[in-house]
Amino acid sequence: MRVVWVVAALIAAPAAGFVPAPPEVAALHLKETLNKKGFVRVPGATFRALLRWKGAKEEDLQLIESGAVHADVATDEGAMAFRQSAAHRLVATGTATFVPAHRPAVTKIPAKEVASAAAAKVRSKRSGNRVWPLTPPAYAASTVPVALAEVQRLFLPDAHTPQHGVNAASPHVVTDQVLIKVTKTGDGDQCPTPEGIHQDGSEVSAVTMIKRDRVTSGGETRLWSLDATTGNYCEDDECRAMHPHLPERPDASLSLGTLTLKDPWETVLFNDRALKHEVEAFDGDRPCSRCVIVQLTRKPLKDGTDTMLRDGSLVTLE
């Protein structure tokens, strides 16, 4: 009956006026696009409305939008010191609401899905198990993480795709929300994904823009067919001079789309089992920076590394 009521209300609206779709209707339309294309771009205002619908408080959204929480995130080590990153983990069992795991996030990307050395512009270990530092307390204590996880749930398939090392039949769903801030200060390869074209080892991934500071160009998200070669590539003579070992850009026929996230809460969701992705370098009035939240959602790993605290006891997710 609710669908009938919604349709009737939209028909009855004045023709000259604009009636925004209720969150439920907007989410259904967005998921249809995701299922059809493998990815969907969600305008910032729409995604923000979805978060409010799922319980995010206005003051918490404004806090995240300010960039203050990202500024407090731990700095990566070594060659990736231009990036700050930390993660917050939540778990849902069946249809129950997502709850904090109160344990560090662990991601596991197969070596075939991401470049760590030869095919990357910045060499760093990216495949295998990675334990992430915790997000600042202000993020974990806010209403945003649960709302973000519940919005992501709207875009999950009824049955998860079988993956090596992942228990696709588990009743548990794990979602890791990675806060990332990349700051460009010089001419080096200080970019969001120096690993180039890759997958995340997730079922559904989402990249949500939070804040761009002094960025004037670049930062495009590129979606690629699974047939595109994993790793980075060169498009100009300057890149080829710096990285002579890298191949040329993949054939344009393998490109599924390109978009640039600019507005707060503007999001791209994609089926990580159906395509590959990357984010291009950006530049501007240096130092310039880009703050995002990357959400990676999957079933638990079979190796027992996914855990949570439940009633004070450590529980392995199987």
Side-chain angles (χ1 to χ4, degrees), residues 45-110:
T46 301
F47 197 78
R48 201 178 194 280
L50 290 173
L51 291 172
R52 290 282 283 150
W53 174 44
K54 290 300 182 179
K57 294 182 178 179
E58 180 62 28
E59 58 266 32
D60 291 339
L61 293 171
Q62 291 181 13
L63 173 64
I64 303 301
E65 290 168 14
S66 72
V69 174
H70 277 75
D72 288 340
V73 168
T75 300
D76 288 12
E77 298 179 350
M80 294 295 294
F82 58 86
R83 185 178 75 173
Q84 296 165 253
S85 63
H88 180 70
R89 166 163 288 195
L90 300 100
V91 177
T93 302
T95 59
T97 301
F98 275 94
V99 295
H102 299 295
R103 295 287 295 163
V106 180
T107 54
K108 184 174 186 176
I109 305 180

Side-chain angles (χ1 to χ4, degrees), residues 115-121 123 232 245-247:
S116 295
K121 288 184 177 179
R123 300 190 176 197
N232 228 308
H245 62 289
L246 294 181

Side-chain angles (χ1 to χ4, degrees), residues 88-90 98 149 152 173-177 295-298:
H88 180 70
R89 166 163 288 195
L90 300 100
F98 275 94
Q152 186 95 329
V173 176
V174 177
T175 192
D176 293 323
Q177 299 169 357
Q295 187 163 205
L296 311 173
T297 306
R298 57 165 172 77

Side-chain angles (χ1 to χ4, degrees), residues 62-226:
Q62 291 181 13
L63 173 64
I64 303 301
E65 290 168 14
S66 72
V69 174
H70 277 75
D72 288 340
V73 168
T75 300
D76 288 12
E77 298 179 350
M80 294 295 294
F82 58 86
R83 185 178 75 173
Q84 296 165 253
S85 63
H88 180 70
R89 166 163 288 195
L90 300 100
V91 177
T93 302
T95 59
T97 301
F98 275 94
V99 295
H102 299 295
R103 295 287 295 163
V106 180
T107 54
K108 184 174 186 176
I109 305 180
K112 67 178 183 179
E113 293 190 8
V114 66
S116 295
K121 288 184 177 179
V122 178
R123 300 190 176 197
S124 179
K125 178 66 173 174
R126 299 183 178 94
S127 62
N129 287 18
R130 174 176 180 177
V131 181
W132 294 80
L134 298 175
T135 58
Y139 181 78
S142 76
T143 55
V144 171
V146 171
L148 199 59
E150 290 298 331
V151 169
Q152 186 95 329
R153 187 204 292 267
L154 300 172
F155 297 94
L156 295 178
D158 293 333
H160 284 225
T161 307
Q163 289 189 63
H164 178 72
V166 175
N167 182 8
S170 172
H172 308 295
V173 176
V174 177
T175 192
D176 293 323
Q177 299 169 357
V178 188
L179 277 59
I180 299 176
K181 179 177 182 179
V182 172
T183 302
K184 186 169 181 62
T185 58
D187 293 329
D189 291 310
Q190 299 167 332
C191 55
T193 58
E195 64 270 27
I197 299 172
H198 67 285
Q199 292 170 270
D200 295 327
S202 69
E203 180 71 28
V204 172
S205 295
V207 182
T208 298
M209 175 57 61
I210 298 300
K211 185 176 183 180
R212 285 165 39 118
D213 188 25
R214 299 153 70 98
V215 174
T216 58
S217 64
E220 301 91 349
T221 297
R222 292 180 176 175
L223 294 310
W224 295 94
S225 160
L226 290 176

